[in-house]
């Protein structure tokens, strides 16, 4: 669930499903292009429609094709791109009704994971909280960015029970300087997604095509940083775990089981730290653990 997507990007090649435009932006339900700004408004550097493609690329960019990057899903995970950002009263954002609709749509489509690389400093409307509960009841795990304020306290929806919150780690495995944390124990893990000072950045996809009202960053961009880009790494690992669990047992794990697997196999050995939560995700452990993941 994000800003905009280009299914024809050369480093996608079928790893994106057809998707849905769930915004009232005047474009068709299958049009995942950036929403046209209203008269008198234009995209600025703070409004980044390429964001969605960058997030999705970390999950499902094609691996082993001698170009760009490999997504964490390693050609085993598909992305269902849902456009939820559009122009709301002169601001490029979303609404509670659109987010709730997207969560329900993803759950009804059988998504194993719903990635939410977005957040609010204040609690979301009840309609979103109800949609999160609906998604969980249908077996869809919401995974959300912890926030980029560098403070104690997660953004919403990452702060809600049942949601796997994902913060950012630096290359050395410690918490990124911007990444929100929680001194109160919660389901928080980390994935490498940059740092501000000293600067560490990621490389991922961008839209790779221009629009009459928006010029893309290119096919790729090397300036991605933030918990928005940590969350999809966790989402991809969760999806890989679901796929292996299904192959082994003939059924997928519950959202509770997915959270347990990822938190208990993370770098802190099942122990909670106020700064890093359960620590850096460990895909090697999650995909082989016989205690919490494949008992």
């Amino acid at each position: 669930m994000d800003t905009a997507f280009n299914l024809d990007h050369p480093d996608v090649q079928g790893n994106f499903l057809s998707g849905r435009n769930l915004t009232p932006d005047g474009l068709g339900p299958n049009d995942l292009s950036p929403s046209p700004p209203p008269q008198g408004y234009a995209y600025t550097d703070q409004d980044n429609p390429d964001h969605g493609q960058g997030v999705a690329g970390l999950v499902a960019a094609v691996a082993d094709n001698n170009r760009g990057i490999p997504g964490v899903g390693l050609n085993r995970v598909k992305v269902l791109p849902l456009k939820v950002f559009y122009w709301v009263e002169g601001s490029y954002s979303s609404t509670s009704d659109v987010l709730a609709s997207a969560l329900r749509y993803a759950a009804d489509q059988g998504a194993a994971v719903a990635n939410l690389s977005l957040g609010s400093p204040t609690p979301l409307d009840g309609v979103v909280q109800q949609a999160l509960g609906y998604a969980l009841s249908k077996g869809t795990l919401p995974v959300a960015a912890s926030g980029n304020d560098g403070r104690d306290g997660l953004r919403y929806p990452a702060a809600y029970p049942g949601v796997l919150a994902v913060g950012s780690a630096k290359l050395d495995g410690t918490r990124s300087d911007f990444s929100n944390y929680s001194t109160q124990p919660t389901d928080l893990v980390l994935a490498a997604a940059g740092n501000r000072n000293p600067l560490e950045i990621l490389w991922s996809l961008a839209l790779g095509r221009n629009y009459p009202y928006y010029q893309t960053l290119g096919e790729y961009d090397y300036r991605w940083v933030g918990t928005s880009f940590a969350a999809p790494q966790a989402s991809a690992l969760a999806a890989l775990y679901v796929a292996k669990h299904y192959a082994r047992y003939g059924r997928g794990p519950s959202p509770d089981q997915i959270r347990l697997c990822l938190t208990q196999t993370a770098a802190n050995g099942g122990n909670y730290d106020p700064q890093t939560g359960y620590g850096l995700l460990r895909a090697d452990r999650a995909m082989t653990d016989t205690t919490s993941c494949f008992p």
Side-chain angles (χ1 to χ4, degrees):
M1 298 167 205
D2 220 291
T3 55
F5 307 89
N6 176 14
L7 276 60
D8 296 322
H9 191 288
D11 211 358
V12 170
Q13 295 179 354
N15 283 353
F16 285 11
L17 303 176
S18 57
R20 196 79 172 171
N21 173 16
L22 293 165
T23 76
D25 64 358
L27 301 180
N30 299 317
D31 195 330
L32 304 180
S33 305
S35 295
Q39 187 174 2
Y41 292 89
Y43 284 106
T44 68
D45 291 341
Q46 283 70 46
D47 306 316
N48 192 347
D50 284 280
H51 185 278
Q53 193 84 359
V55 167
L58 290 171
V59 176
V62 178
D64 299 324
N65 63 342
N66 294 314
R67 70 177 301 151
I69 67 164
V72 175
L74 296 175
N75 297 340
R76 294 172 174 84
V77 174
K78 303 287 187 183
V79 166
L80 176 67
L82 303 180
K83 187 172 78 172
V84 297
F85 274 69
Y86 66 112
W87 288 81
V88 183
E89 298 180 353
S91 174
Y92 187 56
S93 59
S94 191
T95 65
S96 293
D97 285 343
V98 168
L99 290 176
S101 175
L103 281 163
R104 291 177 178 274
Y105 184 88
D108 288 341
Q109 296 301 307
V113 182
N115 187 82
L116 295 148
S117 289
L118 48 84
S120 167
T122 57
L124 301 172
D125 292 344
V127 65
V128 178
Q129 298 180 50
Q130 293 165 12
L132 288 167
Y134 179 80
L136 287 164
S137 75
K138 298 280 282 188
T140 300
L141 173 67
V143 175
S146 70
N148 300 326
D149 310 301
R151 63 172 176 83
D152 182 10
L154 307 181
R155 287 209 162 207
Y156 296 90
Y160 287 125
V163 177
L164 180 66
V166 191
S168 175
K170 297 184 289 187
L171 288 174
D172 65 5
T174 60
R175 181 179 63 86
S176 303
D177 51 12
F178 56 77
S179 185
N180 287 19
Y181 54 96
S182 177
T183 53
Q184 295 298 314
T186 188
D187 290 319
L188 172 67
V189 292
L190 301 183
N195 195 59
R196 285 185 183 140
N197 185 25
L199 185 63
E200 295 178 9
I201 51 181
L202 283 80
W203 202 47
S204 188
L205 308 188
L207 286 168
R209 59 172 293 191
N210 291 321
Y211 305 84
Y213 42 84
Y214 179 71
Q215 303 297 301
T216 182
L217 298 173
E219 286 189 350
Y220 302 91
D221 193 69
Y222 58 87
R223 292 164 291 184
W224 297 126
V225 63
T227 57
S228 280
F229 302 96
Q233 297 179 59
S235 291
L237 175 55
L240 286 171
Y241 166 59
V242 169
K244 184 171 181 178
H245 191 284
Y246 191 91
R248 178 170 293 189
Y249 301 116
R251 56 178 173 79
S254 69
D256 285 345
Q257 287 176 288
I258 304 171
R259 284 197 313 276
L260 179 69
C261 173
L262 267 60
T263 56
Q264 295 305 297
T265 58
N268 291 352
N271 299 308
Y272 190 85
D273 178 83
Q275 289 288 315
T276 62
Y278 287 97
L280 192 65
L281 288 169
R282 288 288 302 268
D284 56 335
R285 295 178 182 172
M287 298 301 286
T288 58
D289 174 78
T290 57
T291 300
S292 299
C293 303
F294 302 99

